Amino acid sequence: MNTTSSPGQQSMRVIAKDPLADGVVALRLADAAGGSVPMWEPGSHIDLVLDTSMTRQYSLCGDPSDTSTLTVAVLREGSGRGGSIHVHDKLETGDVIEIGGPRNHFALVEAESYVFVAGGIGITPLLPMLRAAQARGANWRLLYGGRTRGSMAFADELAEEFGENVSLRPQDEYGILDLASALDAAAPGTAVYCCGPEPLLQAIEAVCREREHLNLHIERFSPKQLEEGVVDDAFDVELARSGRTIGVGADESIIDALQRGGVTVDFSCREGTCGTCEVAVLGGKPDHRDSILTEEEQEAGDAMMICVSRSRTPKLVIDL
């Protein structure tokens, strides 16, 4: 595999590939040249550049104080876009790949108490958060569900390390997660962190809307669905640094329009889930369609993901 890094990327060697659970493998990566790995904090993810046309994002689930390796866990998704299958079937110990990042749009805030809710592979970004909360002396609990106990990565490790703080709830034994009961016991100001499949995220959003004393933080692995009847109109984008204006057609993204105009921009997922293409907004009102920014951040309107988001005004001014 290619061992030359592009700007903003780092060459990493796969030093271990180990099974974690049914359909889940862990990859441990070290700098290919023997140097240190990038610094990161709980909630961070990296890009794995799997080939010239395939880049995927995976949450870091190792120890942030470890400067020698990075660890990600990958669920094999047969109906996905091919990235996880590539990791499971083609990536081998000793291979060298490129990574981008880390980036963090799911940072752990300071709080006296936390409730962590994981569904399946959604445990990965939460794992280092649990240890950080424990180290801070905060009150915390984890509610962790999966299809079966055998499909739940890190389940035995978590139960052994944290005991009663962890509630393992495989669906075939307990049914769907009882979110209401878990959150009814949470004190005002509790930070709620949730990651997992879309039905779980929608369910916890609904539960937390009825409990305004809780502060919900979620991370999506897939893009949110748009509301029915959404119409895409053409608009203009002004690049503040050059003063240049580029038209964005109704059938293209801002990134597409910029590339058509010869403007180089950073991007990765093109789904509004990774944050690579985030830019500052200096004028106009964005039509946010990403899965990263909070409602408050979207309302502020001073940043946007140009891979999926559009404009509610005839022109946007962005910091490019």
Side-chain angles (χ1 to χ4, degrees):
M1 293 188 179
N2 177 33
T3 60
T4 302
S5 294
S6 301
Q9 295 181 351
Q10 183 171 348
S11 293
M12 305 288 285
R13 188 178 304 279
V14 180
I15 61 171
K17 179 181 177 183
D18 300 310
L20 285 179
D22 296 342
V24 181
V25 296
L27 296 181
R28 280 204 302 135
L29 309 172
D31 181 69
S36 298
V37 299
M39 296 179 62
W40 61 282
E41 296 180 345
S44 298
H45 68 264
I46 57 173
D47 301 331
L48 291 189
V49 184
L50 300 173
D51 62 29
T52 56
S53 62
M54 187 185 300
T55 300
R56 298 292 184 266
Q57 290 73 42
Y58 297 103
S59 298
L60 292 167
C61 56
D63 180 359
S65 67
D66 180 1
T67 61
S68 61
T69 62
L70 299 175
T71 302
V72 297
V74 180
L75 169 67
R76 182 187 177 92
E77 298 183 272
S79 59
R81 297 177 296 145
S84 66
I85 292 177
H86 183 103
V87 169
H88 277 254
D89 294 355
K90 297 183 179 180
L91 202 60
E92 301 292 345
T93 301
D95 286 348
V96 174
I97 61 174
E98 305 304 311
I99 69 164
R103 286 182 294 276
N104 195 349
H105 292 276
F106 194 45
L108 185 66
V109 301
E110 292 282 351
E112 293 185 1
S113 59
Y114 301 89
V115 173
F116 300 100
V117 180
I121 199 63
I123 189 62
T124 52
L126 302 184
L127 188 61
M129 292 186 182
L130 309 181
R131 293 175 175 139
Q134 183 83 355
R136 294 176 184 179
N139 295 317
W140 66 271
R141 293 193 64 82
L142 169 68
L143 180 63
Y144 179 16
R147 298 186 313 280
T148 65
R149 194 172 294 268
S151 71
M152 297 167 64
F154 306 109
D156 293 340
E157 174 183 337
L158 288 167
E160 181 177 348
E161 184 174 355
F162 297 118
E164 294 183 355
N165 280 40
V166 174
S167 297
L168 302 177
R169 295 293 184 267
Q171 188 171 352
D172 63 341
E173 298 176 31
Y174 293 89
I176 63 174
L177 294 178
D178 187 352
L179 300 176
S181 295
L183 297 179
D184 280 343
T190 294
V192 180
Y193 278 80
C194 182
C195 187
E198 186 62 22
L200 172 63
L201 302 183
Q202 292 182 5
I204 202 166
E205 285 176 326
V207 170
C208 285
R209 276 195 292 270
E210 300 173 354
R211 294 161 177 80
E212 296 182 355
H213 61 288
L214 305 179
N215 301 316
L216 177 63
H217 306 262
I218 63 176
E219 181 167 62
R220 284 181 158 87
F221 290 145
S222 58
K224 287 191 290 189
Q225 293 184 344
L226 296 179
E227 297 179 2
E228 292 185 9
V230 171
V231 176
D232 293 337
D233 294 321
F235 59 95
D236 290 332
V237 170
E238 179 182 329
L239 310 183
R241 299 180 196 177
S242 65
R244 185 180 175 191
T245 296
I246 294 177
V248 181
D251 59 348
E252 65 180 346
S253 69
I254 296 176
I255 284 179
D256 291 335
L258 295 178
Q259 289 186 311
R260 173 171 50 78
V263 180
T264 300
V265 291
D266 291 331
F267 64 90
S268 180
C269 72
R270 300 192 75 123
E271 294 184 332
T273 58
C274 76
T276 306
C277 68
E278 181 176 359
V279 300
V281 178
L282 306 178
K285 186 175 182 179
D287 176 8
H288 294 289
R289 301 184 181 185
D290 66 275
S291 303
I292 297 174
L293 299 176
T294 65
E295 291 184 5
E296 293 78 10
E297 290 169 334
Q298 291 187 354
E299 184 65 28
D302 56 5
M304 67 184 299
M305 309 301 157
I306 57 175
C307 65
V308 292
S309 296
R310 301 184 66 79
S311 181
R312 298 185 182 275
T313 50
K315 182 168 77 171
L316 283 176
V317 183
I318 61 177
D319 186 20
L320 282 178

